[in-house]
C-alpha cells in the first residue's frame, strides 16, 4: 500500500512537472491507501438540464452523496451546445486533470464524425460503462398499425411522419437504418429538442411514430401508446413478449451508451478510483431499481473493456453515418 | 367536489410544520436565486436537487417548486432596480419597471410587479386545481404548426413596439434574428455562422445578450452622464399596497389577458414563461389607451409582464404533473428528481400518488403567499441598495453581471460577450435604436424558425398546413391581421374620410 501511494505522488509530481515546468505542489501528508480526489469533482454533462444525460449524472452524484461514497462532492456542470462538441472541447483542454469526468451519450461518438471535429473518442480516457439505454418502436394507441409487419407495409406505400430528438443523432440514425434495411419510403423525420417533447408529439398525434427511450414514453403505456418492437439484441425481462427487430427479420440493433470518460491522459490511479466508485454506485439497489423501471440494460464495463467496446461502436457509427450520406 | 376534498387532504400535508419550514426555506432561496442575474430558476433547482435526496418525495417537490416560485418573484427585483434581468422571463418587466424606478418610484414599481404577480399566480393555481387533466389533453393537440401560430402572434404584437423610426426597429430585430441563427441548426444538424469556432456551435445566449445590452449598456450611459442612480427612494407602505391594488383594478383587462395568456403558454410544452411575458407586453401596449407611455414607466407594462410570467410558471408544471412531460427546463429537472425519489412520472402519478400531487398543489398556494409577503417585506432593503454610492455600487453590479453571464453556460466566453453586448447596447442608445426588438428576435427567433421548419417537414414543404389545421389557422389569421393593421388602419381611415365627403353632396 505504501508503495502505491508513493507511486501516486510521483505520478502527480511528474504531471505537474511536465505540464507546468515547476515543482510547486506537494501531495504528501498522511499516507493513504489509494488515490482519492482532494477537491470537488467537476462532473461534466454533455447536454442541457433535464435531458437524459443530465438525469443520469444527477442520479449518480446524488447517490454518491446519499451513500457517502466519496470524500468530496461531485458537482454536475452542464456544458450543452453543439450536440456535445462544447463539452468535449472543454474536457479535452483538461488534459491530465484527475478532478474532471464527463457523462456521455451517443453524440460522444457521432458529433465528432458529423461535424468533422479535430478530436474524437480516442482523445479521452475511458472509465466505465454503467448502462445501455434501449430504443422501442412506438405508435399511438389509436393508430391502426398494431405490429411491425403492418408498419413496414404502410411505410413502403407512403412516407410516414416520424419524430425524434435532434438532427443526425441516434433517433434519426435508427429510422435511417430501418429505412435502409426494410426498403421503406424515406420517412418525414421531424427533429425536436428533447425526448420528452418527442413523446408529447407522439401522444398528441403530431407524428405517427417515434423511437423514444423507454424512460421517455413508458408513462403513457399502455393507455396512449403502443410498443411494436425493441431495437435491443435480446428481449427485456420487463416485457417478455416484446419481440426484437432482429427476431422480426430486420437486422437492426441499436443501444445507446451511458458511460463516463475522463480527460486525455488522466492518471491511471484516478481512472481506477472512478471506475471503482461507479461500480459501487452500479451495485446500489437504488441504481438497479432505476435501471429496471426504465428498461435500461445493466451492463458494467471497467476501463479496458469499455475502451475496446467504444472503439467498435465508433466504427459502427461511422459506417451507418456514411451509408446514410450525412457525411461525405 | 372531488378536487376540493383532494385539495383539503393536500393542505393537511402541506401545512405540517416540517413542510411549512421546507417551503419557507425554498421560497427564500428562490428569491435570492431570482435576484442573481444569470443564475436562473432552472440552475437553482438543479443545484439544490441533491438536498432533497434525504427528504420524503412530497417535501422534496414542495422544496423545489417553492424555489421556483421564489425565483419567479425575485427575478423582477433586479430587473426593476438595475435594468439587469434576474431571470429570462423578467426581461420584459424591465421595459417599464426600470424607467419607473429611475423616476423615483422604485417601491411602487416593485409592488406593481409583486401584487399582480401574486394574484395572477393565485388564479393560475385555481385553474390548475380544478382543470389540470382536461387542459393537459388540449395542450397535446398543439403541435409545431400551432406553436408557430402562437409565436407569430407574439411577433405581430411587437410590430408597434419600437418607438421612432420603423427602419431602426427592423434593423434591430434583424440583428437579433442573425444572432439567433448562429450555432448548430436543429433541423439539418449543420453548423451556421460558426466559422469553424467550436464554442460558437452552442450559439449566443439571450440571457448574456440582455444582461449586457440592457444592464451594462445602461451603466456605461449613466457613467457618461453622471455617476449616480436616481430614484433611490423606495418604501412600501400600506398606502402603496392599496394604490397598487386599485391600479391593478384599473388595468383589469391587461391583468386578465396577461394571466390567462401566460397560463396557457406555460401549459404548452416547449414554450414557457419568457415568450409569455413578451407577448403579454406586446398585447398590453397594442390595446392600451396610452401606448405612448409604454417604455417610460407605464404601470400596465409591469402588470402585464409579471402576471404572465408568474401564471406561466404555474402552467409549466401542469404537463409535468398530469402527463410526465416537462413544460419547461425547470420542470424537466424536477422530473429527473422524481426518479431519484423513487416515483415514476406519467399520467398514472396523478391517480396513484395523490398525496404527492395534491401536497404539491396545496404548497403552490402556500409558497406563492409566502413569496409575495417576503418580497414586500424586503422591498425597503432592496431599495436601500440603490442608496449605496454609485462608485461602489456600479462595479458590484458589473461583477454580478459577469458572474451571471458565466453561469449561463459555464464558459468565460460569455463574460467577454457580456462586454461586447454592453458596448452594443450603449451604441444602440446613442444612435436611438430600440433594444427590445433585438432581444425579442434573439429569444423567439430560434423557437419560431424551429416550429416553422418542423411544420414544413410534416407537410412536405406546403404552407397549407397552417390553414388546414383549425387552431393554427385562427392563430395565423389573427397574426396576419395584426401585422398589417398599422399599415391598413390609416388606409381604412382615409377611405372612410374620402367616402364621407363623396356621400355628402348626394344627400
Amino acid at each position: 500500500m505504501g508503495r502505491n501511494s508513493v507511486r501516486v505522488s510521483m505520478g502527480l509530481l511528474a504531471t505537474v512537472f511536465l505540464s507546468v515546468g515547476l515543482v510547486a505542489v506537494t501531495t504528501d501528508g498522511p499516507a493513504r491507501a489509494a488515490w482519492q480526489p482532494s477537491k470537488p469533482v467537476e462532473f461534466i454533462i454533455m447536454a442541457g438540464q433535464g435531458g437524459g444525460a443530465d438525469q443520469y449524472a444527477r442520479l449518480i452524484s446524488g447517490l454518491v452523496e446519499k451513500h457517502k461514497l466519496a470524500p468530496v462532492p461531485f458537482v454536475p456542470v452542464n456544458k450543452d451546445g453543439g450536440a456535445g462538441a462544447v463539452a468535449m472541447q472543454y474536457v479535452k483542454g483538461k488534459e491530465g486533470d484527475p478532478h474532471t469526468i464527463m457523462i456521455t451519450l451517443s453524440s460522444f461518438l457521432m458529433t465528432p464524425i458529423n461535424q468533422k471535429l479535430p478530436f474524437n473518442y480516442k482523445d479521452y480516457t475511458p472509465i466505465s460503462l454503467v448502462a445501455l439505454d434501449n430504443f422501442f418502436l412506438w405508435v399511438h394507441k389509436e393508430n391502426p398499425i398494431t405490429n411491425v409487419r403492418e408498419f413496414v407495409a404502410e411505410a413502403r406505400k407512403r412516407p410516414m411522419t416520424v419524430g425524434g430528438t435532434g438532427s443526425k443523432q441516434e433517433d434519426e440514425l435508427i429510422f435511417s437504418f430501418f429505412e435502409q434495411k426494410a426498403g421503406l419510403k424515406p420517412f418525414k423525420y421531424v427533429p425536436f429538442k428533447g425526448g420528452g417533447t418527442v413523446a408529447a408529439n407522439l401522444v398528441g398525434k403530431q407524428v405517427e411514430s417515434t423511437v423514444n427511450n423507454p424512460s421517455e414514453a413508458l408513462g403513457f403505456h399502455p393507455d396512449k401508446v403502443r410498443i411494436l418492437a425493441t431495437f435491443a439484441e435480446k428481449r427485456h425481462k420487463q416485457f417478455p413478449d416484446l419481440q426484437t427487430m432482429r427476431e422480426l427479420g430486420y437486422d437492426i440493433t441499436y443501444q445507446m451508451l451511458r458511460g463516463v470518460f475522463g480527460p486525455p491522459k488522466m492518471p491511471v490511479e484516478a481512472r481506477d478510483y472512478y471506475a471503482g466508485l461507479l461500480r459501487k454506485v452500479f451495485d446500489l439497489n437504488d441504481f438497479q431499481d432505476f435501471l429496471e423501471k426504465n428498461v435500461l440494460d445493466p451492463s458494467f464495463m471497467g476501463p479496458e473493456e469499455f475502451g475496446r467496446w467504444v472503439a467498435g461502436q465508433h466504427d459502427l457509427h461511422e459506417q451507418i453515418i456514411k451509408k446514410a450520406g450525412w457525411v461525405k | 367536489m372531488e378536487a376540493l376534498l383532494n385539495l383539503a387532504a393536500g393542505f393537511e400535508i402541506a401545512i405540517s410544520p416540517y413542510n411549512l419550514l421546507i417551503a419557507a426555506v425554498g421560497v427564500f432561496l428562490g428569491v435570492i436565486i431570482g435576484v442573481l442575474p444569470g443564475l436562473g430558476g432552472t440552475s437553482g433547482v438543479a443545484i439544490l436537487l441533491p438536498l432533497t435526496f434525504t427528504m420524503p418525495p412530497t417535501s422534496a417537490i414542495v422544496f423545489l417548486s417553492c424555489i421556483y416560485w421564489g425565483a419567479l418573484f425575485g427575478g423582477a427585483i433586479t430587473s426593476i432596480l438595475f435594468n439587469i434581468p434576474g431571470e429570462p422571463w423578467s426581461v420584459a418587466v424591465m421595459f417599464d419597471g426600470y424607467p419607473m424606478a429611475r423616476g423615483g418610484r422604485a417601491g411602487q414599481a416593485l409592488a406593481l410587479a409583486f401584487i399582480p404577480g401574486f394574484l395572477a399566480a393565485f388564479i393560475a393555481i385555481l385553474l390548475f386545481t380544478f382543470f389540470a387533466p382536461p387542459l393537459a389533453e388540449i395542450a397535446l393537440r398543439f403541435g409545431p404548426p400551432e406553436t408557430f401560430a402562437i409565436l407569430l402572434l407574439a411577433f405581430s404584437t411587437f410590430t408597434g413596439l419600437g418607438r421612432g423610426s420603423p427602419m431602426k426597429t427592423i434593423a434591430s430585430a434583424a440583428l437579433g434574428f442573425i444572432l439567433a441563427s448562429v450555432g448548430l441548426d436543429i433541423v439539418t444538424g449543420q453548423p451556421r455562422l460558426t466559422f469553424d469556432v467550436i464554442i460558437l456551435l452552442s450559439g449566443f445566449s439571450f440571457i448574456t445578450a440582455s444582461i449586457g445590452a440592457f444592464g451594462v449598456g445602461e451603466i456605461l450611459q449613466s457613467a457618461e452622464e453622471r455617476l449616480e442612480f436616481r430614484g433611490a427612494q423606495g418604501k412600501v407602505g400600506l398606502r402603496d399596497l392599496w394604490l397598487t391594488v386599485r391600479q391593478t383594478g384599473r388595468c383589469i383587462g391587461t391583468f386578465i389577458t396577461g394571466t390567462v395568456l401566460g397560463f396557457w403558454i406555460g401549459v404548452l410544452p416547449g414554450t414557457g414563461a419568457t415568450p409569455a411575458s413578451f407577448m403579454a407586453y406586446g398585447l398590453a401596449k397594442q390595446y392600451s389607451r396610452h401606448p405612448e407611455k409604454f417604455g417610460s414607466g407605464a404601470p400596465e407594462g409591469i402588470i402585464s409582464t409579471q402576471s404572465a410570467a408568474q401564471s406561466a410558471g404555474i402552467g409549466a408544471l401542469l404537463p409535468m404533473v398530469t402527463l410526465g412531460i416537462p413544460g419547461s427546463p425547470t420542470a424537466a429537472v424536477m422530473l429527473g428528481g422524481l426518479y431519484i425519489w423513487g416515483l415514476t412520472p406519467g399520467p398514472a402519478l396523478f391517480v396513484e400518488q395523490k398525496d404527492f400531487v395534491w401536497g404539491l398543489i396545496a404548497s403552490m398556494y402556500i409558497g406563492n403567499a409566502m413569496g409575495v409577503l417576503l418580497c414586500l417585506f424586503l422591498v425597503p432593503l432592496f431599495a436601500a441598495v440603490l442608496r449605496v454610492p454609485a462608485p461602489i455600487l456600479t462595479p458590484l453590479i458589473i461583477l454580478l453581471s459577469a458572474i451571471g453571464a458565466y453561469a449561463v453556460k459555464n464558459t468565460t466566453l460569455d463574460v467577454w460577450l457580456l462586454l461586447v453586448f454592453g458596448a452594443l447596447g450603449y451604441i444602440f442608445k446613442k444612435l436611438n435604436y430600440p433594444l427590445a426588438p433585438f432581444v425579442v428576435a434573439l429569444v423567439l427567433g430560434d423557437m419560431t424558425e424551429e416550429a416553422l421548419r418542423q411544420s414544413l417537414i410534416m407537410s412536405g414543404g406546403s404552407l397549407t398546413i397552417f390553414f388546414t389545421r383549425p387552431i393554427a389557422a385562427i392563430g395565423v389569421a389573427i397574426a396576419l391581421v395584426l401585422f398589417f393593421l398599422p399599415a391598413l388602419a390609416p388606409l381604412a381611415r382615409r377611405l372612410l374620410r374620402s367616402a364621407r365627403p363623396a356621400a355628402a353632396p348626394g344627400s
Side-chain angles (χ1 to χ4, degrees):
Chain A
M1 285 294 130
R3 238 182 71 205
N4 221 352
S5 80
V6 169
R7 210 186 62 201
V8 176
S9 324
M10 288 303 288
L12 275 175
L13 283 175
T15 314
V16 171
F17 188 76
L18 285 174
S19 56
V20 192
L22 283 169
V23 187
V25 189
T26 52
T27 51
D28 39 27
R32 262 177 289 169
W35 186 87
Q36 278 201 324
S38 53
K39 59 173 191 178
V41 175
E42 224 182 345
F43 199 177
I44 304 295
I45 304 162
M46 54 188 303
Q49 285 159 345
D54 187 56
Q55 281 176 17
Y56 294 92
R58 287 180 200 283
L59 179 71
I60 291 171
S61 70
L63 290 175
V64 167
E65 193 136 324
K66 189 173 167 185
H67 296 274
K68 312 232 177 314
L69 298 178
V72 295
F74 280 52
V75 186
V77 178
N78 297 83
K79 296 260 182 202
D80 44 332
V86 173
M88 289 181 77
Q89 188 191 34
Y90 176 79
V91 175
K92 174 127 197 284
K94 289 273 179 172
E95 189 171 315
D97 181 4
H99 291 99
T100 303
I101 56 174
M102 168 169 67
I103 191 144
T104 58
L105 53 158
S106 284
S107 53
F108 176 76
L109 296 172
M110 299 169 73
T111 303
I113 305 173
N114 281 332
Q115 305 302 338
K116 302 201 172 102
L117 297 178
F119 43 75
N120 68 11
Y121 75 100
K122 286 183 197 148
D123 292 303
Y124 302 85
T125 309
I127 295 175
S128 44
L129 179 77
V130 288
L132 286 169
D133 210 341
N134 287 301
F135 294 81
F136 288 170
L137 183 65
W138 308 81
V139 292
H140 195 277
K141 181 84 182 190
E142 288 158 27
N143 196 314
I145 294 170
T146 57
N147 57 45
V148 173
R149 196 172 35 81
E150 289 168 11
F151 187 98
V152 168
E154 186 69 19
R156 278 180 182 154
K157 263 189 273 171
R158 64 181 178 91
M160 286 175 66
T161 309
V162 299
T165 304
S167 176
K168 298 184 182 166
Q169 294 179 31
E170 31 313 319
D171 290 8
E172 192 175 4
L173 189 85
I174 295 174
F175 275 120
S176 151
F177 213 3
F178 193 12
E179 214 173 273
Q180 294 167 18
K181 295 269 175 181
L184 309 177
K185 286 253 165 74
F187 288 113
K188 288 195 271 184
Y189 175 84
V190 187
F192 295 95
K193 271 206 177 118
T197 317
V198 176
N201 278 281
L202 175 68
V203 177
K205 294 194 239 177
Q206 308 298 333
V207 294
E208 295 172 86
S209 174
T210 68
V211 289
N212 274 110
N213 297 130
S215 63
E216 295 161 348
L218 262 188
F220 303 100
H221 185 263
D223 304 323
K224 305 259 180 194
V225 292
R226 180 181 290 140
I227 312 169
L228 301 183
T230 170
F231 291 92
E233 276 173 37
K234 297 189 297 263
R235 292 195 189 192
H236 309 290
K237 66 173 192 281
Q238 298 91 328
F239 294 93
D241 298 331
L242 185 67
Q243 290 179 293
T244 66
M245 288 299 272
R246 189 177 277 164
E247 280 178 67
L248 289 159
Y250 304 100
D251 188 14
I252 312 163
T253 54
Y254 191 82
Q255 287 180 304
M256 174 149 72
L257 80 132
R258 298 285 185 192
V260 177
F261 285 82
K265 306 205 175 96
M266 181 183 233
V268 172
E269 298 78 16
R271 182 196 78 176
D272 292 347
Y273 168 81
Y274 292 114
L277 181 77
L278 288 167
R279 177 79 223 191
K280 280 185 218 156
V281 171
F282 180 81
D283 287 334
L284 290 172
N285 284 338
D286 286 347
F287 196 73
Q288 289 296 325
D289 277 356
F290 173 81
L291 296 183
E292 183 165 342
K293 259 190 205 156
N294 294 297
V295 202
L296 281 112
D297 290 0
S299 31
F300 190 89
M301 289 184 199
E304 277 92 19
E305 192 188 0
F306 184 37
R308 282 190 299 273
W309 183 85
V310 164
Q313 284 287 309
H314 174 265
D315 296 347
L316 177 76
H317 280 87
E318 198 167 44
Q319 262 175 33
I320 311 174
I321 287 174
K322 290 217 166 117
K323 224 174 179 178
W326 294 347
V327 174
K328 302 281 157 349
Chain B
M1 263 307 100
E2 201 200 332
L4 278 180
L5 288 177
N6 284 328
L7 186 62
F11 265 105
E12 247 169 68
I13 297 163
I15 60 167
S16 76
Y18 178 69
N19 284 343
L20 275 182
L21 178 73
I22 286 281
V25 173
V27 168
F28 182 73
L29 290 174
V31 171
I32 292 175
I33 286 164
V35 165
L36 296 173
L39 185 61
T42 312
S43 324
V45 168
I47 291 167
L48 296 170
L49 187 66
L51 291 183
T52 65
F53 295 150
T54 48
M55 299 178 187
T58 310
S59 307
I61 192 77
V62 167
F63 181 64
L64 293 187
S65 61
C66 282
I67 293 171
Y68 191 30
W69 314 140
L72 284 165
F73 278 107
I77 297 171
T78 336
S79 301
I80 290 173
L81 296 182
F82 304 121
N83 210 29
I84 294 171
E87 295 287 327
W89 51 74
S90 44
V91 171
V93 162
M94 297 192 308
F95 298 163
D96 280 284
Y98 181 69
M100 186 182 263
R102 274 204 87 148
R105 291 180 291 155
Q108 202 193 338
L110 289 170
L112 275 171
F114 296 145
I115 293 178
F118 166 70
L119 295 174
F122 189 78
I123 294 172
I125 304 167
L126 285 177
L127 290 171
F128 196 119
T129 309
F130 296 101
F131 305 107
L135 282 175
E137 288 288 322
I138 300 172
L140 283 177
R141 283 190 222 145
F142 279 66
E146 287 76 18
T147 308
F148 175 73
I150 286 183
L151 290 166
L152 201 62
L153 265 174
F155 277 112
S156 66
T157 59
F158 261 74
T159 44
L161 193 69
R163 287 185 295 173
S165 157
M167 289 321 279
K168 284 184 175 174
T169 305
I170 291 172
S172 168
L175 186 64
F177 281 125
I178 292 171
L179 290 189
S181 69
V182 174
L184 205 59
D185 173 24
I186 183 201
V187 177
T188 60
Q190 293 298 318
R192 292 193 298 196
L193 298 174
T194 59
F195 306 103
D196 288 332
V197 179
I198 291 171
I199 194 122
L200 283 184
L201 283 174
S202 61
F204 289 104
S205 148
F206 133 82
I207 320 271
T208 309
S210 38
I211 297 177
F214 286 101
V216 179
E218 176 68 31
I219 286 169
L220 288 175
Q221 201 188 18
S222 55
E224 182 191 47
E225 288 171 356
R226 60 196 165 116
L227 208 60
E228 78 178 289
F229 280 89
R230 279 162 285 176
Q233 188 271 335
K235 270 192 202 128
V236 182
L238 281 176
R239 206 174 141 264
D240 292 302
L241 297 186
W242 173 237
L243 282 177
T244 308
V245 173
R246 274 191 28 201
Q247 182 69 258
T248 312
R250 269 200 295 274
C251 311
I252 192 77
T254 305
F255 168 73
I256 297 283
T257 318
T259 306
V260 173
L261 181 84
F263 182 70
W264 183 242
I265 297 208
V267 170
L268 297 178
T271 39
T274 310
S277 62
F278 284 120
M279 275 179 82
Y281 187 83
L283 274 179
K285 187 180 176 191
Q286 195 103 6
Y287 293 102
S288 167
R289 255 168 270 151
H290 316 283
E292 72 285 352
K293 286 194 182 148
F294 275 69
S296 54
E300 294 107 304
I302 305 175
I303 294 173
S304 59
T305 49
Q306 190 64 16
S307 54
Q310 295 212 234
S311 62
I314 307 279
L317 289 198
L318 194 145
M320 175 190 100
V321 174
T322 49
L323 301 170
I325 299 167
S328 70
T330 315
V333 176
M334 292 185 193
L335 267 184
L338 285 182
Y339 288 117
I340 301 174
W341 309 322
L343 299 174
T344 309
L349 189 75
F350 215 83
V351 187
E352 288 162 13
Q353 302 286 341
K354 280 214 155 79
D355 284 2
F356 177 81
V357 170
W358 290 96
L360 166 65
I361 295 176
S363 81
M364 290 180 179
Y365 291 91
I366 296 169
N368 275 288
M370 284 176 171
V372 72
L373 288 177
L374 179 69
C375 284
L376 287 174
F377 275 121
L378 287 178
V379 164
L381 184 74
F382 287 124
V385 172
L386 287 181
R387 281 194 285 273
V388 174
I392 299 171
L393 189 58
T394 312
L396 282 178
I397 296 176
I398 293 195
L399 181 71
L400 205 62
S401 304
I403 296 172
Y406 179 80
V408 173
K409 278 188 281 183
N410 301 306
T411 55
T412 38
L413 178 73
D414 276 277
V415 181
W416 295 111
L417 286 175
L418 176 81
L419 299 179
V420 174
F421 283 118
L424 186 80
Y426 175 76
I427 296 168
F428 266 46
K429 276 184 190 146
K430 283 278 147 187
L431 300 179
N432 256 328
Y433 278 82
L435 270 175
F438 167 69
V439 287
V440 174
L442 183 54
V443 67
L444 298 185
D446 211 15
M447 287 184 196
T448 314
E449 188 202 352
E450 192 183 311
L452 172 66
R453 292 171 66 193
Q454 286 168 340
S455 310
L456 291 178
I457 292 175
M458 291 166 72
S459 69
S462 161
L463 283 169
T464 51
I465 189 164
F466 298 113
F467 300 100
T468 51
R469 297 170 55 125
I471 303 172
I474 295 167
V476 170
I478 297 174
L480 289 178
V481 170
L482 288 178
F483 263 123
F484 293 108
L485 204 59
L488 292 177
L491 198 71
R493 232 172 284 142
R494 212 173 303 152
L495 278 176
L496 277 176
R497 225 176 286 146
S498 61
R500 241 174 259 142
S507 62

